[in-house]
Amino acid sequence: MAYSYAIGIVAGICFVVAFGALNFGFLSSVSPLYQSLNFLGAIGFTYTAISPFNPGLFILEAIWALVALYGLWKIWTRRSGSDVDTGARNAEA
C-alpha cells in the first residue's frame, strides 16, 4: 500500500496533537478541530491496518472514526451562527 508509513506517521501526529491540546486546555472535546484531528488520525490508522490486515486495529480505528464523525455531526447540528467554539471551553458551569 503506497504511502502507508507516511499516513501512519501523520495519523499518529493528529492523535498526539489532539490529545495534547485537549489536556493542556487549548481545545475542548466539543471543538471541531479536536474532533477533526481524531477523525483524521483514526482514518489514517484504519488505512494502515488494511495491509497486512490487522483486524483488531482496523475495528478499533473504524469505530473511533465513526465516533469522531458523530462528534462533528453533534457539534455542527446544535450550533447557531453565533455559537462558535474554536478553542477551550471553561469547565465551570
Side-chain angles (χ1 to χ4, degrees), residues 1-27:
M1 294 188 40
Y3 308 108
S4 187
Y5 290 121
I7 290 171
I9 290 169
V10 171
I13 290 169
C14 287
F15 277 147
V16 170
V17 168
F19 188 65
L22 179 69
N23 282 295
F24 287 113
F26 298 127
L27 295 176

Side-chain angles (χ1 to χ4, degrees), residues 3 10 12 18 41-42 44 47 67 81 89:
Y3 308 108
V10 171
Y47 176 81
V67 170
R89 275 202 177 161

Side-chain angles (χ1 to χ4, degrees), residues 30-85:
V30 295
S31 165
L33 179 57
Y34 173 76
Q35 293 295 342
S36 296
L37 288 169
N38 267 303
F39 175 72
L40 291 173
I43 287 296
F45 281 157
T46 301
Y47 176 81
T48 64
I50 293 172
S51 179
F53 189 63
N54 180 337
L57 181 63
F58 183 85
I59 292 167
L60 170 74
E61 296 303 334
I63 291 171
W64 192 308
L66 290 174
V67 170
L69 276 178
Y70 176 72
L72 282 167
W73 178 77
K74 278 181 50 177
I75 290 167
W76 293 116
T77 57
R78 91 165 99 164
R79 281 195 179 183
S80 65
S82 63
D83 181 27
V84 176
D85 177 23

